[in-house]
């Protein structure tokens, strides 16, 4: 055993750090120079699509390199990519799409010119996703499907050009078997989008109504009835990404700084034992979670499965995100209540907002209660 | 011992509940919250007519002579409806300060105006550096002729926007963390030298940051003795905590009951959610948290009514427990509603936000637990 990275991996880490230092836009440039940043990543040799294989223009990172790459990117708060295309759909296209589909869709995903949304959940199909009822009926001539139904909680549907969607093509067998994976253009006149306003008044999720939308068979991924299998692989990608460990490491050090700004008596909030202990407990748990990720990484590097530990990443990671948001809320003191105008300590408004927003992290991408059931069953063999 | 409510208290509960049930459906409530005033002046006038604004004041002052238990009964029902009118700020905080510490002239001028609905008011106590310490005051009142000049800034003043009068805690001597040297003044909200920044609070109420620059008050505006204001501040805080706790108890009741109703009706995996054991246990815990919070709220309120020596310590325990229970009940109500719990459309989100704010007011869980164990 060796707790250090190899010399080669350390050299890679330095390369990533140097790249970030040279290219990362700072301050306000973060927004205006976004595309320059992604171009620089691309020019570096496919670093804009770090998880893609070489055959599709990716850098072909080893698992350890990928880990280091993500680590440095998160640590430096580099501009995030909207995950739906690059992280979630692309692997499915690569594994199950036709060459024609890959050539048609991957470039737009890669350069960010085409936005995607994920149309899985429905009013009756949340945790029980396989219960989805949006219906796709193959036309008599076999050229296209006619799709009718409703999706809900569709993140960023209102800015998406396309939606990758699970639909029901068969009702006769077990639920999972009649599901098909379709790509649906959002500018179809049969698509209607209604915003859903979530806790704190923001708009990111939507209801999507689908009425008589014709989808060419050419826009189906893989075989009819196999959509569930394709999507399940994808959900694993989604879940490992949702733990947000490095973001939490960063968020926790910000929480510490926030607490240092808050005067309590002659000292600061960090001198209040109850607060300091909660912060410390989170630091300890995050250390453990970070190393859990490394154990899983080691296992993958050695050519095995990620290991049973990896299943806890999303569960624990999201719990930690929520607890960090509680610390910031407490640090905001009476200003935790303020909303609207920027008043009180600079971090207060964001703290309140984050406390509300992070409630969703234990609901989406597999609600925690259901995740625990899955782990109990698949990892622990409990029924 | 007798823990039964009196007939009057039961009648009060019924009438407030009836009002809340008929006037405070969540959509109407949220529309009111978004209006310019942020609440209904018509409702406020109704409260005056129903005698609710006179509830805690003595009969000698023209009030109904209710006890903190009566206020608890009313606030619990207000909590069930997320009522927006500034009852806490005007009647509980400002009003009880005047009735406890006001002289003859102050009581005669201010209490009737509160009771008939014409005066709304606020208590300006918090400051940027004070965190949750009520004695940590830098706003100064310096003697100037026969009066004082007030300078400083108060933050997150509840109901600041509609207050006609402000009760302001100031420092007349000593340094920011002393318990002595604190003096209270009743200040006209329109006095020159006052600059207000109004804003909504996340729970749909209103607050303001208020800056005082050479604001002149006369000796007649002073509430209580010079330098001995901390005891009054503490008494107001205790009354406010009891009222907030009762409100939280009402809000938690709605949340756990809504969650039970929702999980019975929502089906996933071919079963109502309410049949999944982990959710049954979670809702049982929500119910337990609510029951315990309610018990301690009653106990502390009864001790306060009797003027017991145990009151202060019990109030610390109460605010701690209310914060803890509110967080558990609020978070799990959202969680068990799944995506629906995240929407502003269901009332769950709004009760969740109100409970989150209550923990931030008059000291959070950590603050009070530390004082309880001290
Ligand atoms: C902000 C946000 C963004 C989202 N973005 C998208 C998106 O882009 N695309 C998309 O398709 N979906 C999206 N979703 C939907 C998300 O995947 C679902 O909300 C999630 O699957 C939970 O489903 P539900 O909301 O219907 O809750 P439900 O399934 O009704 O669950 C409600 C509660 O019951 C619990 N529960 C359910 N079943 C069981 C069981 N068997 N045992 C014990 N407890 C159980 C859950 O854990 C939860 O606490 C998003 C959701 C949110 C909140």
């Amino acid at each position: 055993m060796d707790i250090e990275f190899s010399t080669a991996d350390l050299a890679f880490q330095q390369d990533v750090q140097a790249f970030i230092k040279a290219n990362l836009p700072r301050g306000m440039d973060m927004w205006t120079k976004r595309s320059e940043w992604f171009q620089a990543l691309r020019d570096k040799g496919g670093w804009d699509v770090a998880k893609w294989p070489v055959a599709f223009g990716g850098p072909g990172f080893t698992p350890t390199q990928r880990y280091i790459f993500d680590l440095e990117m998160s640590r430096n708060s580099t501009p995030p990519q909207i995950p739906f295309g690059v992280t979630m759909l692309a692997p499915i296209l690569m594994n199950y799409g036709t060459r024609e589909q890959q050539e048609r869709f991957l470039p737009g995903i890669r350069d960010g010119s085409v936005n995607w949304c994920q149309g899985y959940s429905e009013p009756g199909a949340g945790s029980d996703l396989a219960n989805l009822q949006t219906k796709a009926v193959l036309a008599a001539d076999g050229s296209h499907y006619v799709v009718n139904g409703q999706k809900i909680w569709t993140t960023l549907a209102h800015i998406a050009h396309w939606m990758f969607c699970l639909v029901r093509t068969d009702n006769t067998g077990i639920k999972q078997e009649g599901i098909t994976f379709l790509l649906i253009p959002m500018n179809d006149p049969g698509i209607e989008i209604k915003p859903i306003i979530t806790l704190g008044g923001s708009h990111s999720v939507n209801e999507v109504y689908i009425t008589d939308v014709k989808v060419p068979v050419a826009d189906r991924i893989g075989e009819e009835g196999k959509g569930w299998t394709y999507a399940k692989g994808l959900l694993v990608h989604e879940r490992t990404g949702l733990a947000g460990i490095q973001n939490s490491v960063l968020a926790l050090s910000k929480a510490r700084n926030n607490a240092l700004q808050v005067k309590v008596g002659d000292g600061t909030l960090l001198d209040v034992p109850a607060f300091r202990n909660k912060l410390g407990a989170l630091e300890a748990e995050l250390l453990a979670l970070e190393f859990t990720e490394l154990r899983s990484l080691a296992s993958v590097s050695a050519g095995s499965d990620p290991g049973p530990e990896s299943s806890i990443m999303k569960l624990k990671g999201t719990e930690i995100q929520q607890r960090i948001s509680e610390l910031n809320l407490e640090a905001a003191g009476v200003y935790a209540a303020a909303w609207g105008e920027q008043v009180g300590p600079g971090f207060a408004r964001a703290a309140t907002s984050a406390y509300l927003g992070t409630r969703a992290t234990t609901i989406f991408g597999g609600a925690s209660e259901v995740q625990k059931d899955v782990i109990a069953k698949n990892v622990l063999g409990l029924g | 011992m007798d823990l039964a409510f009196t007939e009057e208290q039961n009648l009060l509960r019924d009438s407030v509940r009836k009002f809340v049930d008929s006037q405070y459906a969540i959509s109407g409530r949220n529309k009111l919250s978004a209006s310019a005033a942020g609440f209904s002046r018509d409702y406020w006038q109704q409260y005056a007519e129903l005698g609710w604004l006179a509830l805690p004041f003595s009969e000698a002052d023209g009030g109904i002579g209710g006890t903190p238990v009566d206020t608890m009964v009313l606030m619990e029902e207000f909590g069930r409806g997320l009522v927006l009118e500034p009852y806490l700020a005007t009647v509980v905080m400002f009003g009880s300060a005047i009735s406890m510490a006001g002289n003859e002239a102050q009581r005669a001028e201010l209490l009737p105006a509160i009771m008939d609905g014409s005066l709304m008011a606020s208590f300006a106590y918090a400051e940027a550096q004070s965190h949750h310490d009520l004695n940590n005051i830098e706003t100064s009142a310096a003697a100037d002729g026969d009066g004082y000049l007030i300078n400083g800034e108060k933050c997150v003043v509840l109901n600041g926007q509609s207050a006609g009068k402000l009760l302001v805690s100031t420092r007349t001597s000593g340094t920011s963390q002393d318990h002595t040297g604190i003096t209270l003044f009743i200040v006209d909200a329109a006095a020159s030298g006052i600059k207000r920044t109004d804003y909504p609070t996340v729970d749909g109420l209103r607050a303001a940051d208020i800056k005082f620059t050479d604001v002149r008050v006369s000796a007649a505006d002073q509430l209580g003795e010079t330098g001995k204001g901390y005891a009054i501040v503490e008494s107001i805080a205790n009354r406010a905590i009891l009222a907030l706790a009762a409100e939280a108890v009402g809000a938690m009741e709605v949340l756990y009951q809504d969650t039970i109703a929702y999980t019975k009706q929502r089906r996933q995996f071919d079963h109502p959610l309410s049949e999944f054991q982990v959710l049954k246990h979670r809702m049982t815990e929500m119910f337990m948290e609510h029951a315990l919070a309610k018990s301690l709220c009653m106990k502390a309120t009864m001790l306060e009514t009797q003027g017991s020596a145990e009151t202060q310590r019990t109030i610390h325990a109460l605010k701690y427990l209310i914060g803890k229970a509110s967080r558990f009940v609020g978070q799990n109500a959202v969680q068990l509603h799944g995506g629906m719990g995240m929407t502003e459309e269901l009332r769950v989100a709004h009760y969740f936000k109100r409970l989150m704010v209550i923990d931030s007011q008059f000291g959070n869980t950590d603050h009070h637990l530390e004082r309880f164990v001290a």
Side-chain angles (χ1 to χ4, degrees), chain B residues 233-370:
Chain B
V233 172
E234 210 166 41
S235 306
I236 304 171
N238 284 346
R239 288 295 167 95
I241 288 171
L242 292 172
L244 283 170
E247 191 187 343
V249 166
M252 279 191 266
E253 184 184 329
V254 169
L255 280 179
Y256 91 75
Q257 289 179 349
D258 273 14
T259 307
I260 291 171
Y262 182 79
T263 55
K264 279 185 176 169
Q265 155 249 305
R266 166 81 174 159
R267 296 176 71 89
Q268 287 286 273
F269 304 101
D270 300 320
H271 291 273
L273 293 179
S274 59
E275 286 180 10
F276 298 121
Q277 189 177 39
V278 65
L279 302 188
K280 284 198 256 189
H281 286 192
R282 196 78 56 78
M283 286 183 277
T284 304
E285 286 162 15
M286 291 164 77
F287 163 71
M288 288 167 66
E289 293 284 335
H290 168 263
L292 292 171
K294 181 165 174 149
S295 296
L296 202 54
C297 180
M298 286 175 68
K299 171 165 180 162
T301 306
M302 293 175 78
L303 291 176
E304 168 83 357
T305 304
Q306 286 169 11
S308 156
E310 280 175 66
T311 309
Q312 188 59 61
R313 199 163 174 270
T314 311
I315 285 178
H316 288 314
L318 172 65
K319 190 63 171 47
Y320 157 72
L321 205 74
I322 286 288
K324 173 178 167 281
S326 294
R327 192 172 269 184
F328 184 83
V329 173
Q331 292 182 347
N332 280 295
V334 171
Q335 179 71 21
L336 268 53
H337 277 77
M340 287 309 292
M342 290 298 296
T343 68
E344 292 258 316
E345 191 189 323
L346 286 200
R347 62 180 184 174
V348 170
H350 303 280
Y351 286 77
F352 171 81
K353 288 190 283 188
R354 178 69 192 129
L355 289 176
M356 142 190 187
V357 167
I358 287 176
D359 187 47
S360 76
Q361 291 172 334
F362 289 101
N364 65 6
T365 49
D366 286 351
H367 177 91
H368 285 284
L369 185 58
E370 196 180 314

Side-chain angles (χ1 to χ4, degrees), chain B residues 94 97-98 101-103 105-107 109-110 122 141 144 146-150 164-170 172 182-192 194 212 214-226 229 232:
Chain B
F94 187 86
I98 304 301
N103 58 33
Q106 289 164 336
R107 295 213 307 276
E109 182 204 343
L110 299 168
S122 290
D144 179 60
D146 59 349
Y148 289 88
L149 285 181
I150 300 178
K165 295 278 184 191
L166 304 170
L167 179 64
V168 186
S169 60
T170 69
T172 39
I182 294 169
T183 308
L184 295 175
F185 291 96
I186 302 157
V187 183
D188 200 296
S192 77
I194 290 186
F212 298 83
D214 289 335
V215 175
R216 241 198 98 76
V217 286
S218 72
D221 299 325
Q222 183 176 324
L223 184 80
E225 290 175 56
T226 308
I232 308 173

Side-chain angles (χ1 to χ4, degrees), chain A residues 84 118-121 126-127 152-155 205 360 363-365 367-370 373, chain B residues 266 268-269 273 276 278-279 335-340 342:
Chain A
F84 297 112
Q118 179 194 41
Y120 287 6
S121 305
S127 298
I152 193 169
W153 314 120
T154 323
T155 303
V205 295
I363 295 170
F364 61 51
S368 294
E369 292 77 9
V370 177
D373 267 353
Chain B
R266 166 81 174 159
Q268 287 286 273
F269 304 101
L273 293 179
F276 298 121
V278 65
L279 302 188
Q335 179 71 21
L336 268 53
H337 277 77
M340 287 309 292
M342 290 298 296

Side-chain angles (χ1 to χ4, degrees), chain B residues 44-89:
Chain B
W44 190 250
Q45 220 42 59
Q46 287 182 45
Y47 300 170
E49 282 153 27
L50 289 161
W52 298 348
L53 303 183
L55 190 61
F57 305 122
S58 72
E59 290 174 37
D61 283 328
I64 288 177
T67 67
V69 175
D70 297 279
T71 303
M72 175 183 82
V73 167
L74 175 131
M75 287 305 295
E76 187 178 343
E77 296 305 316
F78 274 6
R80 289 180 63 254
L82 295 186
V83 165
L84 296 160
E85 284 67 41
Y87 192 90
L88 178 77

